[in-house]
Protein backbone atom coordinates (compact mmCIF):
# COMPACT_ATOMS: atom_id res chain seq x y z
CA UNK A 1 0.00 0.00 0.00
CA UNK A 2 1.23 3.52 -0.79
CA UNK A 3 2.57 5.87 1.82
CA UNK A 4 2.48 9.66 1.47
CA UNK A 5 4.95 12.12 2.97
CA UNK A 6 3.87 15.60 4.07
CA UNK A 7 5.15 17.02 0.77
CA UNK A 8 2.55 14.83 -1.03
CA UNK A 9 -0.41 16.22 0.96
CA UNK A 10 -3.07 17.86 -1.23
CA UNK A 11 -6.84 18.22 -1.40
CA UNK A 12 -8.50 15.10 -2.78
CA UNK A 13 -5.81 12.71 -1.46
CA UNK A 14 -7.30 9.45 -0.18
CA UNK A 15 -5.61 8.26 3.04
CA UNK A 16 -6.18 5.61 5.67
CA UNK A 17 -6.51 6.50 9.38
CA UNK A 18 -7.39 3.98 12.09
CA UNK A 19 -8.21 1.40 9.40
CA UNK A 20 -10.78 3.57 7.59
CA UNK A 21 -10.57 5.55 4.32
CA UNK A 22 -10.51 9.35 4.53
CA UNK A 23 -10.46 12.10 1.92
CA UNK A 24 -8.32 15.22 2.48
CA UNK A 25 -10.75 18.15 2.14
CA UNK A 26 -8.59 21.01 3.41
CA UNK A 27 -4.90 21.63 3.96
CA UNK A 28 -3.00 24.32 5.84
CA UNK A 29 0.78 24.76 6.03
CA UNK A 30 2.37 26.64 8.93
CA UNK A 31 6.07 27.45 9.29
CA UNK A 32 6.84 28.77 12.75
CA UNK A 33 9.93 30.91 13.35
CA UNK A 34 11.73 28.02 15.01
CA UNK A 35 11.24 24.31 14.62
CA UNK A 36 9.65 22.11 11.99
CA UNK A 37 6.86 23.08 9.63
CA UNK A 38 3.39 21.82 10.57
CA UNK A 39 0.78 20.53 8.12
CA UNK A 40 -2.80 20.72 9.35
CA UNK A 41 -5.26 18.68 7.33
CA UNK A 42 -9.01 18.29 7.54
CA UNK A 43 -10.11 14.80 6.50
CA UNK A 44 -13.58 13.40 5.85
CA UNK A 45 -14.38 9.74 6.51
CA UNK A 46 -15.48 8.29 3.15
CA UNK A 47 -17.82 5.79 4.83
CA UNK A 48 -19.42 7.73 7.70
CA UNK A 49 -18.89 11.33 6.58
CA UNK A 50 -17.29 12.31 9.91
CA UNK A 51 -14.72 15.14 9.64
CA UNK A 52 -11.47 15.21 11.64
CA UNK A 53 -8.60 17.69 12.03
CA UNK A 54 -5.10 16.22 12.11
CA UNK A 55 -1.63 17.77 12.40
CA UNK A 56 1.62 16.38 10.99
CA UNK A 57 5.20 17.61 11.28
CA UNK A 58 7.37 17.97 8.21
CA UNK A 59 8.82 14.55 7.35
CA UNK A 60 5.90 12.53 8.80
CA UNK A 61 4.07 10.10 6.54
CA UNK A 62 0.56 8.71 6.27
CA UNK A 63 -0.75 5.50 4.74
CA UNK A 64 -2.71 5.67 1.48
CA UNK A 65 -6.29 4.38 1.52
CA UNK A 66 -6.88 0.93 0.08
CA UNK A 67 -9.69 2.00 -2.24
CA UNK A 68 -10.52 1.18 -5.85
CA UNK A 69 -11.86 3.81 -8.24
CA UNK A 70 -14.01 2.70 -11.16
CA UNK A 71 -15.70 4.63 -14.00
CA UNK A 72 -19.38 3.71 -14.12
CA UNK A 73 -22.41 5.01 -15.98
CA UNK A 74 -25.31 6.56 -14.07
CA UNK A 75 -28.49 4.78 -15.16
CA UNK A 76 -31.37 6.19 -13.12
CA UNK A 77 -32.68 7.14 -9.72
CA UNK A 78 -35.59 5.11 -8.41
CA UNK A 79 -37.67 6.37 -5.49
CA UNK A 80 -34.62 6.83 -3.28
CA UNK A 81 -31.47 5.09 -4.56
CA UNK A 82 -29.12 5.76 -7.48
CA UNK A 83 -28.25 2.98 -9.96
CA UNK A 84 -24.94 2.70 -11.84
CA UNK A 85 -23.55 0.22 -14.39
CA UNK A 86 -20.02 -0.92 -15.21
CA UNK A 87 -19.58 -0.42 -18.99
CA UNK A 88 -17.33 -3.49 -19.34
CA UNK A 89 -18.96 -6.16 -17.18
CA UNK A 90 -22.49 -4.64 -17.23
CA UNK A 91 -22.63 -5.24 -13.48
CA UNK A 92 -25.05 -2.87 -11.74
CA UNK A 93 -24.70 -1.32 -8.30
CA UNK A 94 -26.93 0.80 -6.11
CA UNK A 95 -25.90 3.77 -3.95
CA UNK A 96 -27.95 5.45 -1.24
CA UNK A 97 -28.54 9.23 -1.15
CA UNK A 98 -26.07 9.43 1.78
CA UNK A 99 -23.36 7.78 -0.32
CA UNK A 100 -24.02 10.02 -3.34
CA UNK A 101 -24.34 13.20 -1.26
CA UNK A 102 -24.49 16.55 -3.04
CA UNK A 103 -23.32 14.90 -6.27
CA UNK A 104 -26.86 13.66 -6.81
CA UNK A 105 -28.10 17.07 -7.90
CA UNK A 106 -25.80 17.04 -10.94
CA UNK A 107 -26.45 13.48 -12.20
CA UNK A 108 -28.18 12.92 -15.53
CA UNK A 109 -28.81 9.58 -17.20
CA UNK A 110 -25.87 8.03 -19.09
CA UNK A 111 -23.32 10.30 -17.34
CA UNK A 112 -19.94 8.70 -16.56
CA UNK A 113 -19.08 8.96 -12.84
CA UNK A 114 -16.23 7.81 -10.64
CA UNK A 115 -17.38 5.31 -8.01
CA UNK A 116 -15.03 4.58 -5.09
CA UNK A 117 -15.05 1.05 -3.66
CA UNK A 118 -13.73 0.11 -0.20
CA UNK A 119 -13.46 -3.58 0.70
CA UNK A 120 -15.42 -4.41 -2.46
CA UNK A 121 -18.41 -2.20 -1.57
CA UNK A 122 -19.23 1.15 -3.22
CA UNK A 123 -18.94 4.09 -0.81
CA UNK A 124 -18.97 7.35 -2.82
CA UNK A 125 -19.77 8.82 -6.22
CA UNK A 126 -18.13 11.74 -8.03
CA UNK A 127 -19.62 13.23 -11.20
CA UNK A 128 -17.37 14.88 -13.82
CA UNK A 129 -15.86 18.20 -12.65
CA UNK A 130 -18.02 20.12 -15.14
CA UNK A 131 -21.50 19.31 -16.43
CA UNK A 132 -23.65 21.06 -19.03
CA UNK A 133 -27.30 21.37 -17.98
CA UNK A 134 -30.31 23.10 -19.49
CA UNK A 135 -31.97 25.93 -17.53
CA UNK A 136 -35.59 24.95 -16.82
CA UNK A 137 -36.57 28.04 -14.80
CA UNK A 138 -35.24 31.53 -14.28
CA UNK A 139 -36.69 35.02 -14.11
CA UNK A 140 -36.07 37.22 -17.16
CA UNK A 141 -33.18 39.65 -16.75
CA UNK A 142 -33.97 43.36 -16.47
CA UNK A 143 -33.06 45.45 -19.53
CA UNK A 144 -29.95 47.52 -19.05
CA UNK A 145 -28.87 45.55 -15.98
CA UNK A 146 -26.03 43.70 -17.73
CA UNK A 147 -23.03 45.48 -16.26
CA UNK A 148 -21.12 44.23 -13.26
CA UNK A 149 -21.54 40.89 -11.60
CA UNK A 150 -25.34 40.87 -11.21
CA UNK A 151 -26.75 37.38 -10.70
CA UNK A 152 -30.15 35.72 -10.37
CA UNK A 153 -31.36 32.27 -9.26
CA UNK A 154 -31.94 29.54 -11.85
CA UNK A 155 -33.12 25.93 -11.78
CA UNK A 156 -31.51 23.37 -14.10
CA UNK A 157 -32.76 20.11 -15.62
CA UNK A 158 -31.84 18.01 -12.55
CA UNK A 159 -33.77 20.31 -10.19
CA UNK A 160 -30.63 21.88 -8.71
CA UNK A 161 -30.64 25.62 -8.06
CA UNK A 162 -27.70 27.96 -8.56
CA UNK A 163 -26.89 31.60 -9.23
CA UNK A 164 -26.34 32.63 -12.87
CA UNK A 165 -25.65 35.95 -14.63
CA UNK A 166 -28.70 38.01 -15.63
CA UNK A 167 -28.17 37.35 -19.37
CA UNK A 168 -28.99 33.62 -18.92
CA UNK A 169 -32.48 32.78 -20.20
CA UNK A 170 -34.90 29.87 -20.06
CA UNK A 171 -33.68 26.90 -22.20
CA UNK A 172 -30.04 28.12 -22.24
CA UNK A 173 -27.45 25.46 -21.45
CA UNK A 174 -24.94 26.35 -18.73
CA UNK A 175 -21.69 24.72 -17.63
CA UNK A 176 -21.50 24.08 -13.87
CA UNK A 177 -18.51 23.20 -11.70
CA UNK A 178 -19.84 20.21 -9.70
CA UNK A 179 -17.17 20.63 -7.01
CA UNK A 180 -18.44 24.09 -6.02
CA UNK A 181 -21.95 24.15 -7.54
CA UNK A 182 -21.13 27.41 -9.32
CA UNK A 183 -21.91 28.67 -12.82
CA UNK A 184 -18.88 28.58 -15.14
CA UNK A 185 -20.16 29.71 -18.56
CA UNK A 186 -23.03 29.61 -21.04
CA UNK A 187 -22.62 26.79 -23.56
CA UNK A 188 -23.19 27.93 -27.15
CA UNK A 189 -25.96 26.24 -29.09
CA UNK A 190 -24.62 24.16 -31.96
Amino acid sequence: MASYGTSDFKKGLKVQLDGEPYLVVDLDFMKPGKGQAVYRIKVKNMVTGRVLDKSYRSGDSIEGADVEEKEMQFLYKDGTNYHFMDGESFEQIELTPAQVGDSGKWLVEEMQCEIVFYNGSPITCSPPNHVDLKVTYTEPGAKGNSTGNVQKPATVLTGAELMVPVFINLDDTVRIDTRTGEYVERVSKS
Side-chain angles (χ1 to χ4, degrees), residues 53-71:
D53 290 315
K54 294 280 188 179
S55 295
Y56 295 91
R57 297 209 175 275
S58 183
D60 288 351
S61 64
I62 191 169
E63 192 176 338
D66 187 19
V67 295
E68 178 189 355
E69 298 167 350
K70 198 183 245 187
E71 282 285 320

Side-chain angles (χ1 to χ4, degrees), residues 32-149:
K34 289 184 177 180
Q36 287 183 308
V38 176
Y39 293 81
R40 292 182 130 166
I41 61 172
K42 187 176 285 194
V43 291
K44 180 178 180 182
N45 188 308
M46 296 174 72
V47 177
T48 64
R50 191 176 81 200
V51 177
L52 300 174
D53 290 315
K54 294 280 188 179
S55 295
Y56 295 91
R57 297 209 175 275
S58 183
D60 288 351
S61 64
I62 191 169
E63 192 176 338
D66 187 19
V67 295
E68 178 189 355
E69 298 167 350
K70 198 183 245 187
E71 282 285 320
M72 298 187 86
Q73 183 182 48
F74 173 62
L75 296 176
Y76 63 93
K77 179 183 179 193
D78 61 18
T80 53
N81 293 332
Y82 297 82
H83 297 265
F84 296 85
M85 179 180 70
D86 184 331
E88 294 175 14
S89 68
F90 302 108
E91 172 191 3
Q92 292 187 21
I93 62 165
E94 192 174 300
L95 292 174
T96 65
Q99 292 170 315
V100 172
D102 286 342
S103 300
K105 63 184 173 184
W106 310 119
L107 297 178
V108 291
E109 291 178 2
E110 300 183 9
M111 175 183 282
Q112 291 295 320
C113 298
E114 183 180 274
I115 307 296
V116 176
F117 290 81
Y118 180 65
N119 290 336
S121 299
I123 56 173
T124 62
C125 161
S126 299
N129 290 342
H130 296 94
V131 295
D132 297 343
L133 297 172
K134 187 176 186 177
V135 175
T136 57
Y137 176 78
T138 189
E139 294 289 332
K143 292 271 189 213
N145 197 4
S146 60
T147 59
N149 194 14

Side-chain angles (χ1 to χ4, degrees), residues 138 141 148-152 163-169 174 183-184:
T138 189
N149 194 14
V150 181
Q151 294 194 321
K152 62 181 180 177
M163 298 301 286
V164 297
V166 292
F167 60 80
I168 298 296
N169 297 310
V174 294
Y183 165 88
V184 175

